[in-house]
Amino acid sequence: MATPEERIAELGLTLPEVAAPVASYTPTVRSGGHVYVSGQLPFVDGKLPATGKVGADVTAETAEELAALCALNAIAAVRAEIGELSDVVRVVKVGGFVASTPEFTGQPGVINGASDLLAQVFGEAGVHARAAVGVAALPLDSPVEVDMIVEVR
């Protein structure tokens, strides 16, 4: 069976460097057998590939791709904390936040981008509980943000 790192490579992806916090927090906190990952934005090489509200400035399809980037950044944060992604027992919970117009109701579909990537990388261990919430604004005018809790060995 392929390791999570091998699955990431098979998907044509590369784990990025962990993004520096944009405020007063740390990217991860390990407590007992869990790693809590702070909200991750869809940074690529230190920049947001899109900004604005889903339903106005950003399409749902683009936002779904951005959510996958958030998840990839969250995975990178976990790896930086624990060393080997094979030590992930299960992705327990994902929180997805979508900066959207008041009439946009497709937040679950947007956050599927993150959920689907986690399932591809971790298999059954990547299937998780989740919230997908519409919000008025996110840091740096990001369209999406994802946080998660991961159980580790």
Side-chain angles (χ1 to χ4, degrees), residues 4-150:
E5 285 90 345
E6 290 168 342
R7 288 191 203 110
I8 289 167
E10 289 168 4
L11 292 168
L13 301 172
T14 304
L15 283 180
E17 293 295 318
V18 178
V22 298
S24 298
Y25 63 90
T26 184
T28 57
V29 170
R30 187 171 186 166
S31 181
H34 291 87
V35 174
Y36 295 78
V37 181
S38 295
Q40 298 293 307
L41 301 180
F43 286 121
V44 175
D45 297 326
K47 295 183 172 83
L48 292 175
T51 57
K53 305 285 183 283
V54 180
D57 313 301
V58 179
T59 66
E61 295 78 19
T62 297
E64 188 174 355
E65 294 168 6
L66 295 172
L69 287 173
C70 292
L72 187 65
N73 289 335
I75 293 167
V78 169
R79 185 167 186 236
E81 178 67 34
I82 67 171
E84 284 289 325
L85 292 175
S86 295
D87 287 339
V88 170
V89 174
R90 139 159 249 126
V91 178
V92 177
K93 177 92 189 289
V94 169
F97 306 91
V98 182
S100 50
T101 60
E103 64 278 354
F104 182 78
T105 59
Q107 290 85 1
V110 168
I111 301 305
N112 280 349
S115 294
D116 293 346
L117 180 65
L118 292 166
Q120 289 174 311
V121 170
F122 295 107
E124 280 298 311
V127 178
H128 50 268
R130 182 182 94 176
V133 181
V135 298
L138 288 169
L140 306 177
D141 200 25
S142 177
V144 293
E145 181 175 353
V146 170
D147 67 11
M148 68 182 186
I149 302 167
V150 178

